[in-house]
Amino acid sequence: MSEATDLSRRRLLQCLGLGAVAVAGVPEWLFAAGEQSSQDHQGQSEPDVEIGITAQPTEVPILSGRPTKVWKFSGELIKGPPGTVKDIPDSYLGPILRLRQGQKVRIRFHNKLPEPCVIHQHGLHVPEKADGHPRHQIGSGETSAYEFTVLDRAGAYWFHPHTNHRTAEQAYYGLAGLILVTDTEEQLLDLPRDEYDIPLVIQDRSFDDRNQLRYIAHMHDRWRGFLGDRILVNGKPDFVLPLATRVYRLRFLNGSNSRIYKLVWSDGSPLTVIGTDGGLLESPEIRNYVMLAPGERVDLWADFRGRKVGEEITLRSTVFSGVMPMMGMGGGMMGMGRGMRGGMMGMMGASLPQGTEYPILTARMVREEPDQRVLPRRLSQIQRYRPQDAANAQKPRSIHLSMRGMSPRLNGRSFELTRVAEDEIIPLNTLQLLEFVNRDHRARGMMMAHPMHIHGQQFQVLKREMAPGFERQYASVSQGFLDNGWKDTVLVMPGEKVTILKRFDHFTGLYLYHCHNLEHEDLDMMRNFLVQA
């Protein structure tokens, strides 16, 4: 929204004697000027890179036998360096887009699905019209263009649909792809490259006896978030990764709708973390396990030197607790109807429940190969935000998460396409102190973990605070959080308050914040920030 438009709007409200909250549902036509100003702000001209992305139904081989019907993003390089668009062979996943900081990008999107769709560039800082807000979704057979300059640092980002009330199902049926950004800082490091830099997308799916995807069967599947019974990596079950006895860079994305992973190596080897959602850490961190919630990414330095050809090591998700309703809480079903009690018990009865142990992939040593590479002590430089520099340093913006009944909410509100409340209006070019609060004590037995995602710039986690009574469950996950780098998604556990610092620079307009449990998002656990000059 342009400054002039906003001033006119406020004068109109004053004349009518109405507060901002009362009429915060901003008409579509009022945003037109803001959209243009967002585009003009970046001075987009002829792009350095132009990519065609088409969403369409197709069939791919996933299990042995009959192919599976999926929805897929296919990509075509129209203009740009060779290797910018790379397909994952025989996968329902979309292409990997390799971009460089500073490139001007145009993505031409053609929707060949039988319903509306829009693409969100997850983790990238782009103008609102390129961000994939559902108010910009297009109908079947229509086309649109997303134009932006790559402002972000090197890292693994991704793209997926953000269609109103249809995000979860569209993503589940296959619509997702990776965006790998590089920059000068990363290029100066001696990190594994090319075939030794491997992106790995972890997802869970369920299939019927005809090899077709099976999705929501009961309302409680939607309320808790869908959990599949097969783990897929890059669209394949029982994934085997053939490797040489050398160092690799393994970049993991949790592309599942709701499943949370606690990643460990089967032989107890530690995980060397070099990056998170928004790129490289300042220095490597060694962890016994890593928590990875939906939408999050983790970048590992994986050293297989010293292993023998034929040796195998399994990456597993190991046991944890406290993320689902009723787990360890006790007494939470009191006062609930018989149907709800049965439904909630059924949530715990999935064939591959949340928090159990199972394999993700097998790394198999297939050849010897010398490698003298040394893990860099210093990976990148991160400008640390200070809470005292926030525009609202004395009054954080609190976002309370709740799961009462069958209605997940943020501050008691549900999603409305263009509506914002007074506390959701953010001044442009400011640092903001925000806190996600998952402490709905009046519905304690229904509390669950929420991976909270904010569109726009990456943020920094300032602190985590746990309420009394939740410590035992928290202890099974707390050492796996990676909070020292740039983040766009953060897991907020029951009883927890997570405080973050985030800037809102460059672009005005509506930017979403929501739970990245995609079923929760479609149940309207999502709201808008309105960034205005």
Side-chain angles (χ1 to χ4, degrees):
M1 181 181 295
S2 69
E3 183 175 359
T5 301
D6 183 58
L7 289 173
S8 298
R9 173 181 179 273
R10 290 191 176 276
R11 291 192 188 102
L12 174 62
L13 300 187
Q14 290 168 0
C15 291
L16 294 175
L18 298 173
V21 175
V23 288
V26 187
E28 287 286 319
W29 60 268
L30 276 179
F31 284 98
E35 290 172 1
Q36 187 60 48
S37 66
S38 290
Q39 294 287 64
D40 291 345
H41 183 91
Q42 274 203 255
Q44 188 77 29
S45 55
E46 275 302 303
D48 304 307
V49 173
E50 188 165 5
I51 299 167
I53 297 289
T54 300
Q56 58 191 344
T58 187
E59 292 185 342
V60 297
I62 300 177
L63 307 178
S64 63
R66 188 188 301 257
T68 303
K69 295 178 181 179
V70 297
W71 287 359
K72 180 181 173 70
F73 285 133
S74 58
E76 175 192 9
L77 181 61
I78 300 171
K79 176 185 178 182
T84 297
V85 179
K86 183 179 180 181
D87 290 330
I88 300 176
D90 298 321
S91 176
Y92 58 78
L93 288 169
I96 299 171
L97 309 183
R98 292 187 177 269
L99 304 176
R100 187 177 182 91
Q101 187 182 59
Q103 285 179 327
K104 296 177 181 178
V105 178
R106 177 182 297 146
I107 295 176
R108 296 191 178 275
F109 175 48
H110 187 186
N111 179 17
K112 290 187 177 181
L113 301 175
E115 62 184 49
C117 191
V118 67
I119 299 177
H120 169 47
Q121 334 299 330
H122 183 122
L124 294 185
H125 179 40
V126 297
E128 185 214 302
K129 196 171 181 180
D131 186 58
H133 192 284
R135 75 188 190 92
H136 296 303
Q137 65 191 37
I138 60 173
S140 178
E142 295 181 343
T143 61
S144 63
Y146 308 119
E147 300 194 5
F148 57 90
T149 297
V150 181
L151 302 178
D152 297 271
R153 67 204 298 265
Y157 308 92
W158 62 304
F159 61 99
H160 61 78
H162 223 296
T163 314
N164 199 25
H165 294 144
R166 295 289 297 159
T167 297
E169 189 161 353
Q170 289 186 356
Y172 181 79
Y173 278 91
L175 295 180
L178 283 164
I179 303 173
L180 302 183
V181 173
T182 190
D183 61 14
T184 301
E185 184 178 48
E186 180 188 64
Q187 289 294 314
L188 291 175
L189 294 171
D190 187 21
L191 297 178
R193 301 182 185 183
D194 303 322
E195 64 181 297
Y196 307 111
D197 176 4
I198 304 177
L200 297 160
V201 181
I202 309 173
Q203 297 173 306
D204 58 336
R205 297 290 187 266
S206 291
F207 298 87
D208 63 21
D209 57 7
R210 296 168 61 85
N211 286 358
Q212 301 311 303
L213 288 167
R214 181 166 46 83
Y215 187 46
I216 296 291
H218 305 285
M219 183 58 191
H220 61 69
D221 289 335
R222 192 175 301 278
W223 187 84
R224 69 172 179 196
F226 183 82
L227 297 172
D229 55 21
R230 297 288 297 268
I231 301 300
L232 309 182
V233 175
N234 289 353
K236 295 295 183 182
D238 307 316
F239 191 83
V240 176
L241 186 62
L243 299 174
T245 54
R246 53 158 295 146
V247 176
Y248 283 82
R249 183 179 186 180
L250 304 181
R251 306 206 221 187
F252 289 95
L253 158 67
N254 182 350
S256 300
N257 279 29
S258 76
R259 186 176 292 277
I260 299 165
Y261 302 97
K262 181 178 178 179
L263 301 179
V264 298
W265 288 116
S266 57
D267 66 351
S269 296
L271 294 91
T272 301
V273 180
I274 60 173
T276 55
D277 299 351
L280 294 170
L281 298 172
E282 286 187 305
S283 57
E285 296 187 9
I286 309 299
R287 300 297 179 95
N288 291 324
Y289 65 89
V290 167
M291 299 303 300
L292 199 64
E296 288 188 306
R297 286 87 69 202
V298 64
D299 196 341
L300 300 182
W301 170 281
D303 190 346
F304 299 103
R305 289 175 294 195
R307 296 187 180 271
K308 298 178 180 179
V309 172
E311 186 177 347
E312 292 183 348
I313 179 173
T314 303
L315 184 73
R316 304 183 66 83
S317 184
T318 195
V319 175
F320 61 94
S321 63
V323 301
M324 297 296 284
M326 315 310 302
M327 293 180 73
M329 296 299 181
M333 292 188 184
M334 295 299 294
M336 298 174 64
R338 180 177 179 182
M340 176 63 80
R341 288 199 301 269
M344 293 195 73
M345 288 300 293
M347 289 193 299
M348 302 301 107
S351 58
L352 192 62
Q354 190 86 275
T356 55
E357 180 147 351
Y358 47 84
I360 303 294
L361 62 79
T362 298
R364 178 179 297 158
M365 305 304 117
V366 298
R367 69 182 188 277
E368 291 184 358
E369 189 172 310
D371 186 4
Q372 303 303 316
R373 188 172 277 103
V374 176
L375 175 65
R377 293 184 179 180
R378 187 78 172 176
L379 295 166
S380 74
Q381 182 175 356
I382 295 178
Q383 176 192 358
R384 296 292 172 183
Y385 296 153
R386 303 187 308 170
Q388 60 266 35
D389 295 333
N392 62 331
Q394 303 305 314
K395 190 177 181 182
R397 296 175 187 266
S398 294
I399 302 168
H400 291 264
L401 321 179
S402 62
M403 288 292 293
R404 299 184 192 181
M406 303 298 281
S407 303
R409 294 289 181 261
L410 299 174
N411 284 335
R413 306 167 184 142
S414 59
F415 180 61
E416 297 168 274
L417 193 63
T418 60
R419 185 169 293 272
V420 294
E422 182 95 40
D423 58 3
E424 295 173 317
I425 300 174
I426 308 267
L428 181 66
N429 297 328
T430 60
L431 176 66
Q432 295 287 322
L433 188 65
L434 302 100
E435 54 188 25
F436 292 114
V437 185
N438 194 2
R439 296 175 176 174
D440 188 0
H441 295 294
R442 287 179 295 175
R444 179 183 173 102
M446 300 180 75
M447 294 167 62
M448 62 184 295
H450 295 282
M452 297 305 301
H453 172 54
I454 309 180
H455 291 212
Q457 284 163 281
Q458 300 280 318
F459 55 75
Q460 294 175 6
V461 176
L462 182 62
K463 59 182 176 179
R464 292 176 177 266
E465 300 169 273
M466 180 56 69
F470 294 86
E471 295 88 353
R472 183 171 63 85
Q473 293 78 19
Y474 194 62
S476 71
V477 300
S478 60
Q479 298 305 306
F481 296 136
L482 301 168
D483 293 339
N484 288 332
W486 291 104
K487 298 286 292 175
D488 57 56
T489 306
V490 62
L491 185 63
V492 186
M493 294 289 289
E496 192 171 33
K497 178 170 73 173
V498 179
T499 304
I500 68 170
L501 284 161
K502 175 179 167 64
R503 291 201 61 85
F504 293 82
D505 292 327
H506 305 119
F507 309 120
T508 58
L510 293 177
Y511 286 86
L512 297 164
Y513 65 97
H514 59 88
C515 179
H516 217 280
N517 177 322
L518 295 184
E519 282 73 36
H520 288 181
E521 176 185 323
D522 282 353
L523 286 173
D524 289 333
M525 196 175 188
M526 177 165 65
R527 293 288 299 177
N528 293 303
F529 283 129
L530 173 60
V531 184
Q532 62 181 25

